[in-house]
């Protein structure tokens, strides 16, 4: 199936939502937005995910990152279901982010959020648990595509967003290693010379001593 | 860009690797395989990722899940680089999984593992940090697509694989909620009646009391 992937511009669709009409590019604006689909309202995993996302909303807001849900149920269903989501979370977290309604399935197709294995009672395709982080240039920076049976991990979404923001802040000249968490050392990107790296990081950096002696694995101090 | 996505069959390509010629479908066999690309050998984030994956290899092996790396460098480069990866990991973990060589870029294109923003010195596209979990039916069950600047989180890969295996073991009749970890309660899939659920889980299940009173959010006891 052809589908939106990393580097592609998200289509500038206009859809109804729990916050009124939303045009995707306007919503993304000059920042980062996490667009995430869920198979259906009033289903178990989706409820736990939407509640988890509501719990993380403040963390994303602090970083200037917007949230945007989407499924094929209508706005009225989203509104009713929101009561369940908030009750499940013990009333601690309101669902403050909008949820788009795509009953026609055109948006989820264009956004590569269709799960070919999941159909509703009428045999019509349902969304997968897809999640795209879209940048200020409206292009997909990162995508997670999970099946219906796997609830996502919001801590990993936050970690990946922190990595994206760290790299963007340094013009792509730093990157974050495997299993990195905010506050841990980053690495210096391959295109940066040692001289430039010394200017960028006056506190210095540490080059791993590896058999190849190529000196490419350089850890900077804490990057925030 | 059109690209392989969830539900699609992975192409049955034959490629050179550090373990000799590998045909992808034969390698996957009757189990699950994690196919993961990295932008280039002898680069910082990739080295930390391959070392992290080597550290997790035993966990995947315990679960019968195979690993398969891929990038556009040749086999000789992969072999030399492996010395760096193992040294970086302090010699604790050998790279026991094969790494495919795709100098022609055909495989990474067919596998939707190209990062349009990353090019080598000759302006030729490099792989993204893509990761597909492929099932016994050779179809993609789950995909993570990260940019070059974000090292992946192997703990999340393991968590997602544990979720897939849990759902598969129960014929898709259970699923795992947001932020789930092995040993925590799973949820019962929407298509399963309460009666069937009672037969499946003689120890019972707990239905969340939500405003809609629809009774769809049912947690079973520990599922392993």
């Amino acid at each position: 199936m052809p589908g939106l992937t990393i580097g592609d511009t998200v289509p500038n669709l206009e859809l109804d939502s729990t916050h009124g009409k939303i045009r995707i590019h306007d919503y993304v604006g000059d920042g980062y937005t996490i667009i995430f689909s869920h198979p259906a309202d009033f289903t178990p995993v989706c409820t736990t995910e939407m509640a988890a996302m509501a719990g993380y909303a403040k963390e994303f807001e602090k970083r200037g990152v917007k949230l945007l849900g989407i499924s094929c149920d209508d706005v009225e269903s989203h509104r009713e279901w929101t009561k369940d989501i908030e009750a499940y979370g013990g009333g601690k977290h309101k669902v403050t982010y909008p949820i788009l309604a795509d009953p026609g399935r055109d948006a989820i197709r264009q956004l590569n959020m269709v799960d070919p294995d999941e159909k509703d009672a009428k045999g019509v395709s349902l969304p997968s648990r897809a999640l795209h982080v879209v940048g200020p240039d409206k292009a997909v920076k990162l995508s997670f595509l999970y099946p219906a049976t796997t609830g996502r991990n919001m801590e990993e979404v936050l970690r990946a967003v922190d990595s994206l923001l760290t790299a963007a802040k340094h013009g792509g000249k730093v990157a974050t290693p495997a299993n990195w968490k905010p506050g841990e050392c980053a690495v210096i990107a391959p295109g940066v010379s040692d001289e430039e790296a010394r200017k960028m990081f006056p506190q210095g950096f540490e080059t791993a001593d590896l058999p190849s002696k190529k000196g490419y694995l350089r850890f900077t101090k804490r990057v925030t």
Side-chain angles (χ1 to χ4, degrees), chain A residues 45-183:
Chain A
V45 178
C46 303
T47 305
T48 65
E49 286 191 314
M50 299 302 260
M53 204 49 131
Y56 276 86
K58 278 219 166 60
E59 288 299 322
F60 290 112
E61 199 185 321
K62 269 191 222 166
R63 292 156 173 81
V65 174
K66 292 179 193 166
L67 304 177
L68 186 57
I70 179 168
S71 84
C72 297
D73 303 280
D74 61 29
V75 167
E76 192 44 46
S77 166
H78 289 339
R79 287 210 179 107
E80 278 304 303
W81 181 44
T82 295
K83 296 174 194 166
D84 280 7
I85 299 166
E86 293 176 351
Y88 171 68
K92 277 184 291 189
H93 305 292
K94 291 280 170 196
V95 176
T96 51
Y97 52 84
I99 309 173
L100 298 171
D102 178 38
R105 269 75 175 168
D106 179 52
I108 61 160
R109 271 187 215 107
Q110 290 198 50
L111 290 165
N112 190 16
M113 292 177 150
V114 177
D115 188 330
D117 294 334
E118 297 291 318
K119 314 253 186 227
D120 67 12
K122 292 177 191 152
V124 182
S125 288
L126 289 172
S128 54
R129 300 190 191 286
L131 182 153
H132 303 306
V133 180
V134 179
D137 60 355
K138 320 299 184 280
V140 175
K141 302 297 169 192
L142 179 153
S143 285
F144 296 156
L145 308 173
Y146 284 76
T149 49
T150 301
R152 285 160 285 195
N153 180 354
M154 302 315 162
E155 197 61 32
E156 177 58 11
V157 179
L158 187 63
R159 189 194 77 88
V161 162
D162 277 329
S163 166
L164 282 175
L165 294 177
T166 297
K169 184 177 154 188
H170 293 275
K173 291 183 174 180
V174 304
T176 64
N179 300 359
W180 173 88
K181 285 188 183 138

